[in-house]
Every structure is written in C-alpha cells, then in structure tokens.
Amino acid sequence: MAGVSARALFGMGCFWGAEKRFWQTPGVLKTTVGYAGGTTTDPTYRQVCTGATGHAEVVLVEFDPERVAYAELLRVFWENHDPTQGMRQGADVGTQYRSVVFTFDEEQAALARASRDAYQRSLAAAGRGRITTEIAPAPPFYAAEEYHQRYLEKNPNGYCGLGGTGVSCPTGF
C-alpha cells in the first residue's frame, strides 16, 4: 500500500546534481526537475539559460512524510550546496542557479525560515557569509525536458557542480 505523499520544491544550482541528492534520500518517492519562479509560461531549457525568463532550475520532490520529515529534506538542501553565493553555484552563474525554497503551505514556510536561521548561525560560526536563499510560496512549476529527468542516472559521469559548504545544518529547529 502506498503511503501519503507531500511535495517540496528546491533550487540549489544545476538541477541534475540536486535531483540526485534527493532521489537518494530515503522516503523520497519521486523527483522531477524543472523550472519555477520566473515569468515565462512553460519555458524551455534554452530559454531559461538566457536568464531572461527569471526561472530557477528546481527539483520537485514528492515524499512520504511518514518516512522522511520535511525538516530532513531541508537539511539535505542546506548541506548540499552553498546558499551564500547569490545568483550562482560554483562555476554555474545566472539567475537559474540561485538558491530557492518554494513552499506549499505556511508550515513549510515556517520550517524553511527556522532552518535558514539555524543554518546561518552555523555558517557564521564557521566564518562563512550570509545566506542569500529565497524562501517564497511555490509558483507554477514547469517540468524540464525528458532528457533532463534523472540525468545523472542516465549519464553517471555527467557534470555536477554542486558542493556544500562543509558546515552541518542543525536539526530540531
């Protein structure tokens, strides 16, 4: 019998590596990469890469909240990219690579803000910069082209520019 599912929406740079981090998380039922947070309806990858659409590359995460808490997904999010880099992740530069948490309800929003604040304290203690992550209500999500879905599963040696800060995110926020 299938469990109840909930959704989460994260952008942490290139969506290929971000998707892999989440599909490897126990309790995640499905991941879909796509675009959100911009002005263009149903954009293509090429359009998003121009920077003119305003969309971020994101991962829609469907998860079983009885097996993995939203707070745990936030920990995966914070620890697997550098949320202090603004409109980039490493060598990937542009609005589509910004750090975002799009929330589906006020409970997710409150947890996202609390986790951001807790992680900021940990980053500051480690001498790191300020978090630039956008936290906002979930806008429309547009699935990316099929060849992007589970890209690193299809292309195990494919590019993944994600890297964390090396600073652990506290839990229990």
Side-chain angles (χ1 to χ4, degrees):
M1 175 184 275
V4 175
S5 71
R7 298 176 301 158
L9 190 57
F10 301 107
M12 45 198 280
C14 175
F15 51 26
W16 296 339
E19 180 185 36
K20 183 175 181 179
R21 299 299 196 281
F22 286 109
W23 90 51
Q24 292 175 328
T25 303
V28 169
L29 306 171
K30 181 181 179 186
T31 56
T32 306
V33 297
Y35 317 108
T39 56
T40 302
T41 302
D42 202 21
T44 65
Y45 181 70
R46 285 191 172 179
Q47 289 172 319
V48 171
C49 287
T50 69
T53 69
H55 285 289
E57 292 188 19
V58 296
V59 181
L60 179 63
V61 178
E62 294 179 41
F63 66 100
D64 180 344
E66 295 177 5
R67 294 184 52 218
V68 62
Y70 182 69
E72 172 62 13
L73 298 178
L74 287 165
R75 185 194 63 74
V76 171
F77 168 79
W78 294 118
E79 290 183 359
N80 284 283
H81 78 298
D82 184 345
T84 69
Q85 293 192 350
M87 299 294 174
R88 62 179 282 225
Q89 280 298 301
D92 293 331
V93 178
T95 58
Q96 74 267 31
Y97 300 117
R98 69 188 186 273
S99 175
V100 297
V101 178
F102 291 127
T103 60
F104 289 97
D105 57 35
E106 185 49 43
E107 182 180 358
Q108 283 189 354
L111 283 169
R113 290 188 298 268
S115 68
R116 176 202 57 209
D117 296 346
Y119 196 48
Q120 182 62 68
R121 288 188 293 276
S122 295
L123 288 171
R128 302 295 300 228
R130 301 282 316 152
I131 290 173
T132 60
T133 303
E134 172 187 357
I135 299 172
F141 169 80
Y142 303 100
E145 298 82 347
E146 181 55 37
Y147 72 92
H148 288 295
Q149 306 302 327
R150 293 184 77 102
Y151 181 85
L152 292 178
E153 184 177 70
K154 299 171 197 170
N155 302 280
N157 296 320
Y159 170 77
C160 175
L162 283 187
T165 62
V167 177
S168 295
C169 180
T171 58
F173 38 78

